[in-house]
Amino acid sequence: MTDFIKQILFSDLGTSFNNLALLFFRILLAVELFRVHGMKKFRVENGQKEHVPNPLHLPEKLNGLVATFSDTVVPLFIILGLGTRLAVLPTIGVTAVGYFVVHRKDSLEVRDVPYMYTLSLLLILALGAGKYSLDYYLLNLI
């Protein structure tokens, strides 16, 4: 079990520059995700909260919970680098559904946003959080 946890947490891109670049990438991506998409979940415009599309026909509360969690809580985990590889999975799911299902017939300009978020999150999934993260710190405690 500890080997599995170590594999999930381990992420060192070799040089300080690479690890620092990944840290800035993670932080900037997560801040933008929270600021643009997360904050929309709490705003009320014209007396109504944001409508979250439900193309998979999940129960409405579950659909809203997954979308809200993905856009508000996950960015915090990404910034801290805490459980990063696991944390990005729900947001990858939400953005991929946005790209492949919700916006599949829209113009490339509209599809670009979920596409770029999905690619960016897949990069973080593949690379992990890097050396400057709580994942790396926790790995060294094990």
Side-chain angles (χ1 to χ4, degrees):
M1 183 63 160
T2 55
D3 289 338
F4 178 70
I5 293 170
K6 286 180 182 180
Q7 285 180 326
I8 290 174
L9 295 179
F10 181 76
S11 177
D12 184 355
L13 301 181
T15 67
S16 293
F17 178 81
N18 290 347
N19 283 294
L20 196 59
L22 182 59
L23 172 67
F24 283 116
F25 179 77
R26 275 190 3 244
I27 290 172
L28 293 173
L29 178 70
V31 166
E32 189 71 2
L33 179 64
F34 179 78
R35 209 172 56 76
V36 174
H37 298 281
M39 293 305 293
K40 268 200 291 192
K41 305 295 187 271
F42 301 111
R43 264 187 253 141
V44 175
E45 292 181 18
N46 300 327
Q48 295 182 357
K49 287 179 84 172
E50 177 195 33
H51 170 70
V52 178
N54 190 359
L56 303 180
H57 307 292
L58 298 172
E60 286 299 324
K61 286 196 183 255
L62 177 62
N63 185 62
L65 182 66
V66 170
T68 301
F69 177 78
S70 296
D71 294 342
T72 58
V73 177
V74 169
L76 179 63
F77 284 112
I78 293 171
I79 289 169
L80 296 174
L82 180 60
T84 312
R85 285 188 168 117
L86 295 176
V88 299
L89 292 175
T91 308
I92 289 171
V94 168
T95 59
V97 167
Y99 179 75
F100 289 110
V101 181
V102 176
H103 297 292
R104 78 176 180 274
K105 294 181 181 177
D106 291 340
S107 68
L108 289 177
E109 290 81 12
V110 173
R111 295 179 77 195
D112 186 51
V113 173
Y115 177 76
M116 293 308 295
Y117 273 118
T118 302
L119 282 182
S120 298
L121 292 165
L122 284 170
L123 180 66
I124 291 173
L125 176 67
L127 297 178
K131 195 172 181 179
Y132 304 120
S133 66
L134 286 178
D135 285 350
Y136 191 85
Y137 175 75
L138 292 172
L139 178 63
N140 289 319
L141 290 178
I142 295 176

